[in-house]
Amino acid sequence: MDRNIEISHVSKKYKNGVTALDDVSFTVGSGVFGLLGHNGAGKTTLMKALVTILTPSSGTIRVCGRDTAAQGAEVRKRIGYLPQELVMYPSLSVFDFVNYMAGTKGIRDKTKVHEALKAVEMEEYAKRKIGQLSGGMKRRVGIAQALIGEPQILVVDEPTAGLDPEERVRFRSVLSRYARGGRTVLLSTHIVEDVHQLCEELAVLRRGKLFYAGKADGLMQRVEGKVKLLCLEDERQLAGLDRKAVVLQTTYEKDGIRVRIMDDGGNFAGAKTVTATLEDAYVYCMGGKYYA
Amino acid sequence: MFIVWEGSIMRKTGVIVRYELKMQFGRPAVWVVFGAAVLLCQLDSFPSAVNLARLEFLPQPAYFISRIMSFDVLVLLFGLMFLLAGRLSVDERTGVKSLFMAAPLKKSQYAAGKLVGGFFFTFLMLCAFLWFNMAVYFAAAPFSLSVSACVFPLVKACLVCGLPASLFVGFVSVALPGVMDVRLFYMLGAVLFGVNAANVGSAEAMPFYLITSGDLVRLIWRHPRWPFVNWNSVLANVFFLTGTAAAAAVLLLIKRDLWRKGS
Ligand SMILES: Nc1ncnc2c1ncn2[C@@H]1O[C@H](COP(=O)(O)OP(=O)(O)O)[C@@H](O)[C@H]1O
Ligand SMILES: [Mg+2]
């Protein structure tokens, strides 16, 4: 089995008492793997542990068979990382910045820098100062520095957040192209659509706990036959609903409110069952419409 | 095998040094400080009739260089100290620190790159300052000067006074804001430079803590009436500058949360 990343029983408690990860275990194969979760779910914490810049309170992570705690140097040779908040040096040119980061990885071949810029379609802006780039272009430079040296594992933390739809599509194609040939791209996001388009496999974190890990299809099976449609008369009925079922979608119409729910507990035996969609599965997975 | 490994360590440090220099030289504030110090220097020591009448030894290139070393260079270095104080925090602020830590890069390589970058930058600025002002002096002097009479004291000033002073300012300004509150650092810096500026040359042995006007500068030029060199004081001066620089570097290296924890 080619499981490039093996995470077992990882917990992280910060000094301020926040438990960001709570006994998380799953494995990641080749291809694009989605890490889904709301803000504060622990995605960034898990990724930092994976790229060895943060030590978990307990548990182990193996990357390409190497332990992140004991063989950190070996792990770092095999990963590229795009942090969630990367401002970079505004006064450096695009080429200089990527060349600098390449240098810290021991890569001195300038053609590699140009290749990386080409892969993210930034070669024509190589001489432009980073301070003069749009948000989407900066993100592309961030990806370029991560994939220089062609690491086996690419870890990208919310690369599509705040991008316009066109940039998002471009990003997805760059990542899926990179993931071919046995490489792994671990992508965190809170945008369901990213995962939907890109990932065969995914994991969902909810408040530090692993909620689901596995094939995207597996999620469908969880919701199949449990999605129901209710018609409510007013807001008051809606208010109490999310305690009994996971609300997936609400539509306000003239004669009332139509609500799609995921009836996990079987509280709505009489309601009409409808065909589940992938969207239903993801929204359920993320904790429903009212989950924060 | 070992040599290859060593070579790559030096190379990664070298990459950081190179880009530290590139970023620093690209900052407009650096050139504002440089320009202000040049202006001050020219107002005080340009070989004009007024200045020549005011300063008895100004026709001697060695005197000229020791004069600007003890005061104008101090102004330059004081400015550079502020500009270097953010060289570690900039990596935190811009998120680039995470990239360094996720890369196959050691804490020592990172710290060395930043420190040596600060030192080279300071030294190059100081040399540029001395050479530029000496060139103006040479071109404008209303008396004849040989090139060697100018170059010899200039080289001596760069090596004898410039090296230890740059090491001190470069290392201390990069490292200390990483291990103490930056406002406290600015206060300490202001006090030290203030004390330095207040110390005018005298015949007595100079305090060891002077950055550019200590007894080291007497090696470039001495007043004919007090031509002695107090070697103990010179050595104390050198040890203070280099020792403080080394201590600052050690403090930075033993700071635990500078780098990723473990491995
Ligand atoms: N350095 C830190 N110190 C203390 N708490 C933190 C730190 N970083 C993150 N947290 C907390 O840990 C939890 C998970 O955060 P994070 O991993 O950033 O989640 P995500 O990336 O999914 O939004 C949050 O509650 C956050 O407030
Ligand atoms: Mg995050």
Side-chain angles (χ1 to χ4, degrees), chain A residues 76 87-89 96 99, chain B residues 11 19 22 91 94 260 263:
Chain A
R76 288 188 281 277
V87 180
M88 306 186 275
Y89 301 127
D96 275 337
N99 190 40
Chain B
R11 218 178 282 146
Y19 277 101
K22 187 156 194 164
D91 291 345
T94 56
R260 55 177 110 86
S263 66

Side-chain angles (χ1 to χ4, degrees), chain A residues 132-187:
Chain A
Q132 296 164 354
L133 300 178
S134 72
M137 287 158 122
K138 272 187 204 158
R139 212 67 65 82
R140 278 191 262 158
V141 177
I143 285 286
Q145 67 76 30
L147 48 80
I148 197 153
E150 303 183 335
Q152 177 72 7
I153 314 282
L154 195 61
V155 179
V156 286
D157 200 351
E158 305 218 18
T160 58
L163 296 187
D164 58 36
E166 193 197 334
E167 280 276 9
R168 276 225 291 279
V169 170
R170 196 204 300 259
F171 244 94
R172 290 189 199 127
S173 73
V174 169
L175 294 180
S176 57
R177 200 180 319 134
Y178 190 77
R180 287 185 304 203
R183 294 193 196 117
T184 293
V185 174
L186 181 65
L187 158 93

Side-chain angles (χ1 to χ4, degrees), chain B residues 196-252:
Chain B
N196 270 255
N199 260 288
V200 282
S202 78
E204 310 299 315
M206 301 297 277
F208 63 90
Y209 52 79
L210 296 184
I211 301 167
T212 59
S213 51
D215 270 322
L216 268 174
V217 89
R218 285 221 178 103
L219 300 179
I220 309 171
W221 181 85
R222 284 179 297 279
H223 197 286
R225 255 189 285 158
W226 307 289
F228 71 94
V229 172
N230 184 333
W231 282 103
N232 284 338
S233 182
V234 168
L235 285 180
N237 200 198
V238 174
F239 282 130
F240 170 73
L241 293 175
T242 53
T244 313
V250 169
L251 279 179
L252 182 66

Side-chain angles (χ1 to χ4, degrees), chain A residues 59-71:
Chain A
T60 56
I61 302 177
R62 297 178 80 81
V63 175
C64 302
R66 272 90 175 167
D67 188 284
T68 52
Q71 297 162 288

Side-chain angles (χ1 to χ4, degrees), chain B residues 124-190:
Chain B
L124 290 173
M125 289 299 286
L126 188 149
C127 289
F129 180 81
L130 293 180
W131 286 79
F132 179 79
N133 286 304
M134 184 55 117
V136 172
Y137 172 87
F138 180 77
F143 40 84
S144 69
L145 279 170
S146 73
V147 172
S148 65
C150 293
V151 169
F152 184 63
L154 192 53
V155 171
K156 206 160 139 189
C158 287
L159 298 181
V160 172
C161 303
L163 273 181
S166 304
L167 197 69
F168 174 81
V169 170
F171 273 37
V172 166
S173 310
V174 170
L176 287 193
V179 295
M180 63 162 71
D181 188 283
V182 72
R183 283 160 302 181
L184 179 64
F185 169 77
Y186 286 147
M187 264 167 51
L188 289 178

Side-chain angles (χ1 to χ4, degrees), chain A residues 240-260:
Chain A
L241 195 60
D242 60 319
R243 255 173 278 129
K244 285 186 271 179
V246 178
V247 178
L248 302 172
Q249 199 186 339
T250 50
T251 340
Y252 289 79
E253 284 170 13
K254 257 183 251 149
D255 54 337
I257 309 169
R258 229 158 280 258
V259 188
R260 257 177 116 87

